[in-house]
Amino acid sequence: MFDSNSALISAFSMLLTGDREVWSAIGVSFSVSLRAILIASPPAIAMAFLLAYKTFPGRRLVLTITNTLMSVPAVVVGLTVYLALSKNGIAADLRLLYTQPAMIIGQVIICFPLLVAMAHATFVAGDKLAYETARTLGAKRIPAMLTVFLELRFGLLAAVIAGFSRIIAEIGCSMMVGGNILDHTRNIPTAIALETSKGEFAMGVALGIVLLSLTMLLNVLLAMFQGDGQ
Amino acid sequence: MSLANTTQSLTANKLTFIRDTRLILDCKSLTVQKGELVLLTGPNGSGKTTLLKILAGLITADTGEFILGEKSFTSFEAPKYLIGTCIYLHQTPYMFRGTVLQNLSYGLRRKGLRNNDIRSLVDQAIRKNKLTHLTDRMASTLSAGEQHQVALVRAQILKPPVLLLDEITAHMDQEARGRTFEIIKALQEEEISIVFATHDDETIKTLPGTFLHIDSGCLAL
């Protein structure tokens, strides 16, 4: 029978004594998800800016597609990436299946629509006069755009944190394209799934504590960064 | 350190601007002489803001030709020549996050000036316009009148040939209006050309300038 107290004590012991498997999964999670969010954020924010500030044919369609893609389950993204990278897939030659780059590709696809949608909402809610003021004071297009990013940094940072939270906790795509290989592609969610299925609750709890602590830390950092920003 | 004085006249001919098949602006000819103050009047929705934004290069007119100083160009080339040269001030000014000092420095930084030169130009402008008490205040905490003053000085500091003011005295109290008029008169002394869109009777009575009326997108002297 599952003893929650002993599982919790073992979990803390594993974290504090530097259990190799636990910290390996934590390392993989951070390495993959941080790279994915760093790759996805700049183009997603730039795209959101264009959608908010420029009018062009098909703009509404792009917004609708983006909003639709937000609700696609991670496992469906995983399946698509798996099919693309597997032996007969269109990107089979890249030989990326069951590697961290495959997981990064999947996570970029998962967080991209969310980043675009949240950044777009930030730009729409922000004051459009910022861009015009920057331009009329002599800023070229890109510096003026960067000025707007800086003006709306709290909202944009919240979008990035939401995107990161989504991918660090996703399991479907990581399991499918990463393969859950110890020390290579086993991250926190796939390790939790594996260990609990084996009845090893302590490790699952330890990794769960890390995920929860991370979420709390990110929100505290966001709150501190925002200060009295309104 | 001072920026080169680049005062020059601005002429716009055959400007048209159409949006959703509706003719918003049809301006045969408009000339603002060097150092001239043009008071642009007209009812709401008559095309004042559209005209000013076209002259600032923020909106591209569908047709039109411009002459700025000795340089002539078409409406499609206009943003390249007008942005940063003909500065537009919104009815409600936008203050960037940060202090008044940082706001005043914004345009100078875009010109790539060195920090020492920026500081020296900003200090001069602050002293000249009696803004010393506001320098370290966060710009977002200023009153509407103070924000307009800072926006005006932020533009003035760049020594633009043309300033385009969009009803900036509309929501000011008597005192703020008086200070704004002083700044505008100082700008005239620097031979900066100004187009001032206004409804305000006091502005029209106080500031000596040429009148231009716009109605349904058409200009009349």
Side-chain angles (χ1 to χ4, degrees):
Chain A
M1 190 185 153
F2 171 62
D3 179 353
S4 58
N5 285 341
S6 63
L8 204 59
I9 291 165
S10 303
F12 276 111
S13 160
M14 281 174 149
L15 285 171
L16 297 174
T17 57
D19 183 272
R20 201 184 65 78
E21 281 191 35
V22 170
W23 284 100
S24 164
I26 293 169
V28 170
S29 264
F30 274 81
S31 166
V32 168
S33 297
L34 278 174
R35 281 185 283 167
I37 202 77
L38 286 175
I39 292 168
S41 296
I45 292 172
M47 183 173 161
F49 178 84
L50 291 178
L51 288 168
Y53 278 78
K54 303 285 173 192
T55 46
F56 53 87
R59 191 176 137 272
R60 278 182 186 278
L61 182 68
V62 174
L63 274 170
T64 308
I65 292 171
T66 305
N67 290 332
T68 308
L69 289 176
M70 257 202 312
S71 54
V72 173
V75 71
V76 174
V77 175
L79 179 64
T80 311
V81 177
Y82 179 87
L83 290 173
L85 296 177
S86 61
K87 202 175 167 188
N88 296 319
I90 51 166
D93 291 345
L94 296 174
R95 303 174 73 84
L96 289 178
L97 200 58
Y98 304 133
T99 63
Q100 287 191 10
M103 294 166 77
I104 292 170
I105 292 170
Q107 293 197 353
V108 166
I109 296 171
I110 291 167
C111 69
F112 194 84
L114 179 68
L115 283 168
V116 173
M118 285 193 68
H120 178 258
T122 302
F123 287 128
V124 170
D127 194 337
K128 291 247 168 78
L129 300 189
Y131 183 72
E132 277 190 356
T133 304
R135 288 287 280 148
T136 199
L137 290 173
K140 299 205 182 306
R141 282 194 174 88
I142 302 286
M145 186 173 84
L146 293 176
T147 297
V148 175
F149 290 2
L150 206 60
E151 292 296 296
L152 300 174
R153 57 190 176 273
F154 301 138
L156 295 178
L157 186 71
V160 172
I161 287 179
F164 185 72
S165 303
R166 167 110 160 92
I167 56 177
I168 195 120
E170 71 80 22
I171 180 168
C173 180
S174 294
M175 187 73 94
M176 203 162 268
V177 300
N180 203 12
I181 304 165
L182 180 64
D183 293 336
H184 292 287
T185 57
R186 183 171 301 168
N187 62 11
I188 298 174
T190 59
I192 292 176
L194 178 73
E195 298 302 326
T196 48
S197 70
K198 290 190 320 195
E200 297 287 339
F201 293 106
M203 189 165 173
V205 172
L207 291 166
I209 289 168
V210 173
L211 265 186
L212 265 176
S213 310
L214 175 72
T215 311
M216 190 177 279
L217 179 71
L218 285 174
N219 281 293
V220 169
L221 283 177
L222 179 65
M224 281 169 61
F225 183 72
Q226 285 180 328
D228 62 350
Q230 292 168 355
Chain B
M1 173 71 196
S2 67
L3 289 181
N5 194 335
T6 55
T7 56
Q8 44 201 320
S9 62
L10 173 69
T11 300
N13 292 320
K14 297 175 189 162
L15 287 182
T16 60
F17 181 68
I18 299 164
R19 179 163 282 177
D20 300 332
T21 70
R22 196 164 76 88
L23 183 65
I24 307 286
L25 189 74
D26 184 11
C27 165
K28 302 278 181 288
S29 181
L30 165 70
T31 298
V32 189
Q33 299 295 346
K34 189 167 100 173
E36 185 184 16
L37 170 66
V38 174
L39 293 164
L40 181 64
T41 57
N44 286 337
S46 57
K48 296 191 294 293
T49 297
T50 304
L51 176 61
L52 293 187
K53 286 192 175 182
I54 287 173
L55 296 178
L58 295 171
I59 295 178
T60 305
D62 292 296
T63 63
E65 291 159 3
F66 295 85
I67 304 166
L68 180 65
E70 307 208 329
K71 184 85 195 163
S72 60
F73 44 91
T74 65
S75 61
F76 295 103
E77 299 168 302
K80 182 175 145 193
Y81 294 102
L82 297 177
I83 280 191
T85 308
C86 299
I87 298 184
Y88 172 81
L89 268 73
H90 294 94
Q91 187 173 0
T92 312
Y94 183 85
M95 292 286 113
F96 297 113
R97 281 184 197 272
T99 62
V100 168
L101 194 71
Q102 287 166 328
N103 267 273
L104 295 176
S105 311
Y106 184 87
L108 296 170
R109 290 199 186 285
R110 303 287 85 73
K111 284 183 182 285
L113 298 186
R114 288 179 308 167
N115 281 345
N116 285 347
D117 296 334
I118 291 172
R119 186 67 210 218
S120 147
L121 285 167
V122 170
D123 281 345
Q124 277 176 35
I126 286 169
R127 278 197 302 274
K128 189 174 167 190
N129 294 289
K130 303 184 185 96
L131 293 179
T132 321
H133 62 294
L134 299 179
T135 318
D136 295 321
R137 287 261 305 272
M138 294 304 285
S140 57
T141 64
L142 302 180
S143 69
E146 288 170 334
Q147 289 194 356
H148 273 294
Q149 269 182 278
V150 171
L152 207 47
V153 175
R154 184 172 65 181
Q156 177 201 23
I157 222 166
L158 298 172
K159 300 237 185 294
V162 183
L163 261 184
L164 306 155
L165 313 178
D166 196 352
E167 302 196 36
I168 63 165
T169 50
H171 305 295
M172 283 184 189
D173 60 23
Q174 202 64 28
E175 196 188 334
R177 202 170 284 179
R179 282 197 302 266
T180 304
F181 290 156
E182 278 176 34
I183 297 176
I184 290 172
K185 283 172 186 165
L187 291 170
Q188 281 186 285
E189 283 165 20
E190 292 176 32
E191 291 201 307
I192 291 176
S193 313
I194 300 170
V195 182
F196 192 162
T198 184
H199 275 309
D200 179 40
D201 286 341
E202 195 188 336
T203 303
I204 293 167
K205 281 179 200 157
T206 313
L207 292 174
T210 312
F211 285 95
L212 206 55
H213 188 75
I214 186 168
D215 201 352
S216 305
C218 295
L219 278 177
L221 284 168

